[in-house]
Structures are given as structure tokens and as C-alpha cells.
């Protein structure tokens, strides 16, 4: 409601004494006061009505106008009832302070004016609410009718004036521009993803690059596998949560299609790992997963273990969710008893790019996964994300070997407490250790090394360190002494003590191998 709207109400018979240039000033409420200093009780944008009971001398007009102007009131309405007119000193005080002044005739009560203002404002607010609800309904209806994320975000910008975007926990832009140029989007998405992963609770306001973005979780997935809606500025929480729910509907719709893709991938892997797969059928199933017989691909295996967790997805299922996000949802991951497995197309030499994404070799794929696991570390605190990557292979007959290779690499990553291991790293004694059950590995190491650890604790000595250095130096007394900065005779004394405590002979290659493996297993 504006001042001109108030003056246009016929039955109120109000007359503007000063403030013609301020007729479009908005009135946000009305109240009556005759306090000489009402500053504590009036608010910006209000119409203040007074009966001039505070007026004893012209200076009172200046003091009263000062208080109202400082509070930012919209206008002053003064009644004729006490004096029969509005004093010139009040008109001049209001003019000097830019405060519109309205004369209220004797026959009009202040209550009637307050009621009229409140009635008009209530109607306007109801109209605004109805309009907002209509906009929200149009957005929800668009989602229900199958609008994609880009269409949803465009509608949100046009209907609600909210610019936003959807990103993954790994920092991959999924939809929307976030209000920046395309070249700036990946870096901004990465920074917002880090804010999302590190936030103590959501929604969270992230201040990035001089701007503010409010982050809303899209669904109840584990945070490392979740999506986040980033809205520029600080929109209302209710609006943001409603928009996040709309994005979640679209994600669920996409999941329906991905379930079919996962079933096809599971059938391919199951057939490849069976006893006598039919080559023709295997080639056909590989094609259904988007890979021709001569195209290169790699297999990636993953688990995410959450020690002590009794609820939520198991390690393979959570590993699959995280793996799909790390791979930008270009492929699907199949969760099995031994972890999640994904078959990833690689770049074909001479082609412009791998299907669904930029050119990528097996080495580049491993580096990207490594960076992704590191980026997700805040959300994986206390959980071990273990990822194994096979070498690049071709043809349907290579699926089984690649699956086994990725599985071995993944188990080696688990034995290290998490991370990414490639096929290049597994063809060593580490592969043998990774395939040995944890309890057997621990028992083997403890039986050989516990006497040394006990001795070191009791005597503050360094038998274990000396043994490890001696083996790294291929049994060279002098090289070991130089590395440890001790006399060679000290090395000889310590190694004899190691032999006495372990019952092993370090001149024997077999005993050296046993102790070396015990150190690595430990």
C-alpha cells in the first residue's frame, strides 16, 4: 500500500499537507502514539498517527519529527481534534526532514484508519502468498510432468528469481550454471562441493569468491554419494528445501533408468565370470553396455567400509554409489558380494573422446579417481574407501581377467586402509599379502616380530628399525650402518640379537624373505 492509495480512500477524507514527491512511498503498517519520544515503538515504513497531545511549544514539533525521521517512518498523520488545525511549525518540521504529513479530520477516528490500512495490507499479502503458491505449484507440476533438471532450474530462475545449480559431492556440475560463465563453473562447483562436505549441518551458506550460495542436500544418501542444490544468495529455507525435493524427484526418475543399466552390466559380469561363457553372447552383452568388441575399457572395483556402522548401505552398495559419482555418472556400478564393479569405456586412439566423456586412459582414470577419493575425505571420515583399477583391455574375453585384476587391486587398497590401487602395483608380494586373510596375516607378523617389539619397548632399542633397514640394504652391513648413522659393529650386534629373539638366520634367503614379509604384513 502506498501513500497515494491511502489518500484515495474517499470515506477517510485525508488531506496531504506536505510530501507530494513521496506519494509512492510504501506503507507497511499503522500505529497510534502520543508519546513525546516514540522512537522505541515505531518502525520503518509505518504510518504514525498522533493527536498532538505532546505539543506544548514549536520546538516539540522539531523533536517529534526528528524521532520519526530517524526511525524511517513512511508518513505522519496528525489529527485536528485537539487544536482544530495542524500547526505550521509541524508542517515546517516535516518538510525539513522529508517526512510526508497528512491531516486527519475530526470526524475520522484513528482506529478507522488503522483498520483500513491493515485490511488493505492483509489482502495484498494474501495476494502475494497466492501468487507464490501458484509459482511453486507450476514448478512442482513441471517436475511431475517430466521436466529435466535444466528445465527445472530455468523455471526456478524465471518464476522465483533464484539462480542455482546441482552438483555432486565429488564436485561435478550436474545441471545449472550457478550464475557464472561455463569456463568458471567447474572450479566453482569444486569449491562448493568442498563446502558441502565440510559443513557441520545443512542448509549451509557458503561464501565463495565474493558471493554467497546456500547449499541444500538433495536426498538422504550418504553425503559422499549425495547431490547438493546450490542457490545463489540466501533464499528462504522453506523454498530451498522444496526445490531440493523437486531435484530429488528428478534424481529418483533417473535412477529408474539406471537400474536397467545396472541389470545389464550385472548380466555381463555374471556371464563373463561363469565357467564356460559363450563368446557370441558375451560380445552381445558387452555391446549392450556401450562397448564394441575392439574398444578399450577398464574395470574399477570399490568398497566403502564404515567401521561400527549397523545401519545404511553395506560396503559394496555404498562403494557403488560413491564410484558412480566419482565417474560422473557416465557408467553404472554393480554391487556384489565382493564389492561394487564398473566397466568404464576408455579413449580410442585417434577418436575425439571416450563415450560419454573426454578422452581418458587407464592411468588418467586412476588419477581422477585418486583425486576424487581425496576430495571426498571429509565425508568419508572413519570410513575406508578402497578402489582398484585394472589395466586397459579390449574384447569380451578380457572382462573376467579385468574384473579379477580390479578386485585384487581393491583388496590391496583395503589392506592399506583405503585409497586407489592400479594393476601396475599388484604384481608384487603386496598382491600375495592382500589375498591372505587379515587374521592369518596378523598372526604371521606377530609370531615373528612381537619378540622384537617387546625387546625394543623394554630396552628403548631399535631392533625393528635396524632389521627393516638391513633388509632394505640387501644385507649390507656398511650400507645399513651409514643409513642409520651408527657403527658397523653396532649393526652386527643388533642383527645377532634379532636372530636370537626370532630363531631365524639372516644369512639365509628364506629367513630374510619371511622377516621381510612379516614387516610388510605388519
Amino acid at each position: 500500500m502506498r501513500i497515494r492509495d491511502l489518500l484515495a480512500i474517499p470515506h477517510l477524507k485525508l488531506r496531504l499537507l506536505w510530501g507530494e514527491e513521496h506519494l509512492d512511498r510504501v506503507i507497511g503498517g499503522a500505529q497510534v502514539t502520543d508519546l513525546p519520544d516514540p522512537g522505541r515503538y515505531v518502525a520503518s515504513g509505518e504510518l504514525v498517527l498522533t493527536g498532538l497531545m505532546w505539543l506544548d511549544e514549536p520546538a516539540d514539533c522539531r523533536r517529534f519529527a526528528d524521532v520519526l525521521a530517524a526511525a524511517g517512518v513512511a508518513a505522519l498523520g496528525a489529527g485536528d481534534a485537539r487544536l482544530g488545525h495542524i500547526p505550521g511549525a509541524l508542517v515546517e518540521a516535516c518538510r525539513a526532514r522529508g517526512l510526508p504529513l497528512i491531516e486527519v479530520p475530526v470526524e475520522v477516528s484513528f482506529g478507522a484508519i488503522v483498520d483500513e490500512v491493515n485490511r488493505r495490507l492483509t489482502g495484498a499479502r494474501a495476494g502475494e502468498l497466492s501468487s507464490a503458491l501458484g509459482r511453486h505449484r507450476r514448478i512442482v507440476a513441471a517436475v511431475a510432468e517430466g521436466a529435466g533438471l535444466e528445465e527445472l532450474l530455468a523455471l526456478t530462475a524465471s518464476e522465483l528469481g533464484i539462480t542455482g545449480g546441482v552438483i555432486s559431492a565429488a564436485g561435478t556440475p550436474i545441471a545449472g550454471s550457478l550464475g557464472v560463465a561455463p569456463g568458471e563453473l567447474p572450479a566453482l562447483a569444486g569449491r562448493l562441493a568442498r563446502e558441502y562436505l565440510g559443513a557441520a549441518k545443512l542448509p549451509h551458506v557458503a561464501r565463495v569468491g565474493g558471493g554467497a550460495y546456500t547449499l541444500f542436500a538433495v536426498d538422504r544418501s550418504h553425503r559422499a554419494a549425495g547431490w547438493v542444490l546450490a542457490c545463489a544468495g540466501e533464499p528462504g529455507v522453506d523454498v530451498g528445501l522444496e526445490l531440493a525435493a523437486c531435484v530429488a524427484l528428478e534424481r529418483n526418475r533417473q535412477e529408474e533408468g539406471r537400474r536397467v543399466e545396472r541389470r545389464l552390466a550385472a548380466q555381463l559380469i555374471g556371464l563373463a565370470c561363469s565357467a564356460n561363457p559363450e563368446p557370441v553372447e558375451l560380445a552381445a552383452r558387452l555391446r549392450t553396455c556401450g562397448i564394441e568388441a575392439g574398444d578399450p575399457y577398464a574395470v574399477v572395483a570399490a568398497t566403502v567400509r564404515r567401521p561400527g556402522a549397523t545401519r545404511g548401505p553395506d560396503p559394496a552398495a555404498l562403494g557403488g554409489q560413491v564410484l558412480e559419482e566419482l565417474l560422473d555418472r557416465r557408467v553404472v556400478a554393480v554391487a556384489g558380494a565382493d564389492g561394487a564393479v564398473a566397466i568404464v569405456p576408455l579413449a580410442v586412439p585417434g577418436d575425439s573422446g571416450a563415450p560419454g566423456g573426454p578422452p581418458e586412459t587407464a592411468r588418467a582414470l586412476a588419477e581422477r579417481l585418486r583425486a576424487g577419493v581425496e576430495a571426498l575425505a571429509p565425508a568419508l571420515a572413519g570410513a575406508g574407501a578402497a578402489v582398484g583399477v585394472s589395466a586397459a583391455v579390449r574384447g569380451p574375453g578380457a572382462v573376467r581377467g579385468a574384473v579379477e585384476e580390479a578386485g585384487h587391486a581393491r583388496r590391496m587398497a583395503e589392506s592399506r586402509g583405503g585409497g586407489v590401487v592400479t594393476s601396475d602395483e599388484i604384481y608384487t608380494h603386496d598382491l600375495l599379502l592382500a589375498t591372505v586373510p587379515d587374521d592369518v596375516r596378523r598372526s604371521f607378523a606377530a609370531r615373528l616380530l612381537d619378540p622384537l617389539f617387546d625387546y625394543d619397548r623394554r630396552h628403548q632399542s631399535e631392533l625393528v628399525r635396524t632389521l627393516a633397514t638391513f633388509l632394505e640394504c640387501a644385507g649390507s652391513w656398511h650400507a645399513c650402518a651409514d643409513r642409520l648413522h651408527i657403527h658397523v659393529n653396532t649393526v652386527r650386534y643388533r642383527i645377532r640379537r634379532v636372530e636370537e629373539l626370532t630363531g631365524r638366520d639372516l644369512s639365509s634367503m628364506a629367513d630374510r624373505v619371511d622377516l621381510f614379509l612379516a614387516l610388510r604384513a605388519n
Side-chain angles (χ1 to χ4, degrees), residues 310-322:
T310 57
R311 301 177 62 184
D314 61 33
L318 183 54
Q321 294 170 14
V322 171

Side-chain angles (χ1 to χ4, degrees), residues 269 272-274 299-301 338 341 388-391 398-411 423 426-427 431 435:
I269 293 169
C273 295
S274 63
V299 174
V300 181
D338 193 36
V341 176
V389 184
S390 78
V399 173
R400 179 172 184 165
V403 169
E404 292 175 350
E405 192 172 77
H408 289 318
R410 194 263 309 156
R411 282 188 288 276
S423 61
I426 66 174
Y427 293 109
L431 173 59
T435 57

Side-chain angles (χ1 to χ4, degrees), residues 433-483:
L433 290 175
T435 57
V436 174
D438 288 347
D439 56 342
V440 175
R441 192 166 59 245
R442 285 193 297 268
S443 174
F444 173 73
R447 184 169 182 178
L448 283 175
L449 301 181
D450 277 1
L452 304 183
F453 282 115
D454 290 341
Y455 186 91
D456 282 346
R457 276 193 297 270
R458 290 197 311 271
H459 299 87
Q460 289 77 52
S461 57
E462 294 187 319
L463 293 187
V464 174
R465 182 183 175 215
T466 303
L467 171 62
T469 306
F470 180 74
L471 294 174
E472 287 171 7
C473 295
S476 169
W477 304 102
H478 290 283
C480 181
D482 289 343
R483 188 175 297 186

